[in-house]
Amino acid sequence: MSNRYYAVCGILEIDGKILFVRHTYGAAKERILIPGGYLKEGELPSDAVKREFLEETCVNAIAESVFAVQFRSEQWIIVFRLKYISGEPRSDG
């Protein structure tokens, strides 16, 4: 179960380029964003950003450090800087 109150996203550099995604659905449709999403119940933020990257880009990466944190009354978001592990970036369709 996702929890829309807690979100993560990440900045990943591969060969000098930052990896972005273009959303094809929902409120973010047609926006170009850094990959991310909501935490599942009981999931750690560092595990959630790893899962979201793999789901959205087919790239395996791990959280290296916290880049920024944003707190709003309805949601908080952690932006991680990630370390590339493996995989070739591909759309999840």
Side-chain angles (χ1 to χ4, degrees):
M1 180 170 120
S2 288
N3 186 336
R4 294 189 179 273
Y5 296 106
Y6 309 112
V8 293
C9 55
I11 299 168
L12 177 63
E13 183 179 331
I14 302 174
D15 297 329
K17 298 175 184 175
I18 303 295
L19 182 59
F20 288 91
V21 295
R22 181 188 310 268
H23 277 248
T24 59
Y25 58 90
K29 186 174 182 175
E30 296 305 319
R31 289 187 183 172
I32 297 174
L33 306 167
I34 56 177
Y38 301 112
L39 275 70
K40 293 181 177 181
E41 190 172 330
E43 186 176 39
L44 292 173
S46 57
D47 293 335
V49 75
K50 179 180 178 179
R51 175 184 51 76
E52 287 289 345
F53 256 79
L54 190 58
E55 287 175 1
E56 293 183 10
T57 69
C58 298
V59 169
N60 189 15
I62 57 171
E64 199 167 47
S65 61
V66 173
F67 182 79
V69 179
Q70 180 183 45
F71 293 101
R72 296 189 238 164
S73 59
E74 71 280 1
Q75 183 184 64
W76 61 250
I77 301 167
I78 299 175
V79 182
F80 287 96
R81 183 164 190 114
L82 298 160
K83 179 181 177 183
Y84 173 77
I85 302 298
S86 64
E88 187 69 30
R90 288 192 334 248
S91 172
D92 68 355

